[in-house]
Amino acid sequence: MDLSFSAEELAFRDEVRAFLNDAWTEELASLMGSTETFKEGQIEWQHRLNKQGWLAPDWPIEHGGTGWTSTQNFIYETERSAVGAPGTLPFGLKMVAPVIYGFGTEEQKQRFLPKILNSEHWWCQGYSEPGAGSDLAALQTKAELDGDDYIVNGAKVWTTLAQYADWIFCLVRTDSSGKRQDGITFLLIDMNTPGISVNPIDSIDNHHTLNEVVFDNVRVPVANRIGEQDKGWTYAKSLLAHERTSIAGVSESKRKLRKLRELLATEVNGGVPLSQDTMIQSRIADVEIELMALEYTELRVLASTAAGEGPGVESSLLKIKGTEIQQALQQLYMDLAGYYSGVIQGDMSAESIGHDFGSEARRAYMYGRAATIYGGSNEVQKNITAKYVLGL
Amino acid sequence: MNFKFSEEQNMLKDSVARYVQDDYDFETRRKNAASADGFSREQWQTFAELGWLSIPFSEAQGGFEGGATDVMAVMEELGKGLVVEPFVATVLLFGGLLSKSGNAALQEAYIPSIIDGSLQGAFAYLERQSRFELADVKTSARREGGNFILNGEKTVVFNGAVADKIVVSVRTSGGQSDETGISLLLVDAKAAGLSSTSYRLMDGQLVANLTFDNVTVAADQLLGDLDEGFTLMKSVIADVTIAICAEGLGIMQKLNAITIEYTKTRKQFGVAISSFQVLQHRMVDMFMAAEQTKSLLYRAVCSAEDQSDELEKNVIALKVMVGRVGKLIGGEAIQLHGGMGMTDELDVGHYAKRLMMINTSFGDADYQQQKFTALVAGAA
Ligand SMILES: Cc1cc2nc3c(=O)[nH]c(=O)nc-3n(C[C@H](O)[C@H](O)[C@H](O)COP(=O)(O)OP(=O)(O)OC[C@H]3O[C@@H](n4cnc5c(N)ncnc54)[C@H](O)[C@@H]3O)c2cc1C
């Protein structure tokens, strides 16, 4: 039992700090903060990380990974979120890339991985459908072989940031005769292919991140298929476990918690700062205690992964607890804003409205409802835990 | 013991329910909220014709002479329709202050135009620093001959962008947080030196920050007694708190019904998701929470009807519960709808947002719970 850092690890931490100090600038933060320039900002941030060689730490070294130990990973994530720097776009880097280097052909690796690294390709995830959410295997978007192409018809929904995407990775149905999981194929589809339309879905945070992606006789070369036809479910499942670990967001929550504590000093009620309000203090303490535990739960999972044992079903625990904590923090953020938690600020200045974080708290809270829904809903995660961990 | 509505109250409740059903679908609501005024003047006129705008006023003032029960009946149904028209701001807050003010001249001048739908009102009581403390008032009014001169700023004024007349809480004496020394003045929205910045809240309301720069108000525009405005506003806010809690209950019942219906039709894994026991239990929790809320609402309404000593305690308890249950039901309704619950298109998120704004209005659940504790400790 030991969690102290070695001298090399401390040196690494200093290196990370120095990098972040140069690369994560106010200017970049404001680019990413506005809807119009979000994409540009995100890409610029990824360029900076890529230049440093740190864009895809968990990739195999031969494809551009860093070969960091899990401790180094932990240090990097902690330092990154401490300064409020955002993560990378998961769809390309964390979702499709592992499938490509894990199951793709040499040609596919050469063709796609470098463009994910240089951010030339913006990816989105086309799994869910109107009739296939928690029950993903119910998906019906169809792909039929026609010479060297598949012809794809159907619709995907809730496709995050598809409006910016160059490519989409999709699960499609190629066989409906046997077990539902057995007739699914994993396709990489160029968003510029004729027959694809992207329809925006406004969400309750008053923003547009969600979309419906409709396929009308879309031709996809067989060369864009991952692995074998009808075996897509296996590839997709390996990806879902990845999605669940990164969803815990421990370091992000630690930063939010610090921010809440700062706000306690500046928000006042009847002339008394909220830092003197024992009720909100004890609510924050409740969350912090859960978070302290989760931080170590995550480290335990990391340690067993490093020992070649995971990540397995315990990633459900990280997802459930991580998202519960995120939502509790969002709730506190709203509560601190009081009346202003309802404000839709738009282009107005904080000064004219009279409050500087109410609108942001509202957005974070409303969008944050989704964290217990996506990536396998928390109910589904509990079903998984009951079945595979508890053996019920 | 009797928890039944009178025949008259049933008719009133039915008339609102029918209106919401026939003339106020969610698309209408969305359109009204997005319009320049933040509501439909045309529908407001219909409210007037149906007599709803007269409910809390005495017969002498031309009203229906309704009590807390009548207001509750109306508000619960308005809640189910998520009605954005400023019934609370104009009729209950502004109208309530006028009718309890004892200022007959002002009552005669304005109550008839509230009732006929021609006048919009607002009550400006919040300031940047005040948060939930109603007595934290910096906006000042100094006496100059037969006038008051107002300086300062009020924020998040419900209906403040549209109101023709605004009651403003001002400091006429005492320190910034003293309850004594607060007075209520009726100000014309077009008064020289009054400027306004409007913006929207997530529940669709159009609100405003109002800045007073040497605004002159005649001394006869005073509601209640000089320096004693706090008692008046506290009493009206207690009435309005019960009313918005009734609205909250209507929303909770609606959200529960929508969620139950959705889970019965939504299929995953080959079955309706309502067949999953874990979701059934969640919906039972939502149902029980709404029933408990209804009980506290009735408790508060009964004590308001007979002005019992328990009124304050009951209202605070009710507000705590509406805040907490509102978060629970709003959150669960979204969760059980999955991705659909996240869409702006569906009404569910909008009901949840209104519940959250009801929570913050006049002090959120945490604030009220601490008041409750202090009240109980003080009585012991
Ligand atoms: C903001 C957001 C972003 C998303 N981004 C993407 C994306 O980029 N790409 C993509 O492919 N998908 C995306 N999704 C879709 C997401 O994966 C689905 O919403 C999720 O799988 C749930 O499916 P559903 O919405 O159809 O809800 P449903 O499956 O209909 O679930 C409704 C409710 O029933 C519960 N439930 C379902 N089954 C069970 C069960 N067996 N036992 C108990 N309870 C159950 C659920 O937990 C939920 O509460 C996104 C969703 C959101 C909200």
Side-chain angles (χ1 to χ4, degrees), chain A residues 83-117:
Chain A
V83 299
T88 51
L89 268 185
F91 308 107
L93 286 155
K94 297 201 168 117
M95 295 183 175
V96 77
V99 173
I100 293 173
Y101 60 67
F103 307 100
T105 61
E106 208 43 50
E107 192 270 337
Q108 286 169 337
K109 291 178 202 171
Q110 298 306 329
R111 185 169 159 216
F112 291 111
L113 296 178
K115 291 192 169 150
I116 294 177
L117 282 179

Side-chain angles (χ1 to χ4, degrees), chain A residues 91 124-130 132-135 157-160 209-210 367 370 372-380 383, chain B residues 262 266-269 273 276 278-279 282 335-340 342:
Chain A
F91 308 107
C124 63
Q125 178 191 28
Y127 278 17
S128 307
E129 297 181 8
S134 299
D135 183 16
V157 76
W158 318 126
T159 323
T160 300
T209 58
L210 300 173
Y367 185 76
T372 45
I373 297 170
Y374 59 52
S377 77
N378 284 22
E379 289 76 26
V380 168
N383 289 347
Chain B
Y262 181 77
R266 171 68 173 166
K267 283 203 168 137
Q268 286 289 272
F269 305 99
I273 59 172
F276 300 130
V278 60
L279 299 191
R282 301 267 282 274
Q335 179 71 20
L336 267 51
H337 277 79
M340 282 306 296
M342 289 297 295

Side-chain angles (χ1 to χ4, degrees), chain A residues 204 283 336 339 342 372 379, chain B residues 131 202 335 353 362 366:
Chain A
I204 54 177
R283 282 178 59 202
L336 283 179
Y339 276 98
T372 45
E379 289 76 26
Chain B
R131 196 172 160 89
M202 65 172 168
Q335 179 71 20
K353 288 176 187 178
F362 313 120
D366 279 7

Side-chain angles (χ1 to χ4, degrees), chain B residues 133-276:
Chain B
E133 224 49 79
L134 295 170
D136 187 341
V137 174
K138 284 208 290 197
T139 300
S140 67
R142 104 186 106 79
R143 197 63 191 255
E144 232 181 63
N147 294 323
F148 287 104
I149 311 295
L150 272 64
N151 279 289
E153 186 196 29
K154 292 287 170 180
T155 57
V156 204
V157 181
F158 303 137
N159 208 30
V162 173
D164 307 297
K165 298 280 173 187
I166 303 152
V167 176
V168 186
S169 62
V170 292
R171 179 136 315 273
T172 36
S173 72
Q176 189 183 317
S177 296
D178 292 347
E179 292 184 2
T180 340
I182 293 171
S183 306
L184 303 178
L185 289 171
L186 190 80
V187 181
D188 190 282
K190 296 201 185 67
L194 172 54
S195 54
S196 120
T197 307
S198 62
Y199 49 94
R200 283 175 201 274
L201 298 185
M202 65 172 168
D203 61 356
Q205 288 191 84
L206 188 62
V207 298
N209 291 353
L210 306 175
T211 310
F212 302 84
D213 181 12
N214 286 318
V215 174
T216 304
V217 178
D220 61 3
Q221 302 295 298
L222 181 70
L223 300 189
D225 296 330
L226 186 69
D227 290 339
E228 299 299 333
F230 190 74
T231 322
L232 172 57
M233 66 189 262
K234 206 175 147 189
S235 149
V236 171
I237 283 177
D239 296 343
V240 178
T241 300
I242 300 177
I244 61 171
C245 287
E247 180 191 357
L249 176 67
I251 294 174
M252 291 170 191
Q253 291 168 339
K254 183 81 186 185
L255 273 178
N256 286 353
I258 297 173
T259 305
I260 289 169
E261 194 47 41
Y262 181 77
T263 59
K264 284 183 355 196
T265 49
R266 171 68 173 166
K267 283 203 168 137
Q268 286 289 272
F269 305 99
V271 293
I273 59 172
S274 61
S275 66
F276 300 130

Side-chain angles (χ1 to χ4, degrees), chain B residues 297-318:
Chain B
L297 176 64
Y298 283 12
R299 186 176 184 128
V301 165
C302 289
S303 59
E305 289 284 9
D306 54 20
Q307 287 297 305
S308 92
D309 297 343
E310 294 274 286
L311 176 61
E312 187 177 8
K313 185 177 173 186
N314 288 343
V315 173
I316 295 176
L318 171 65

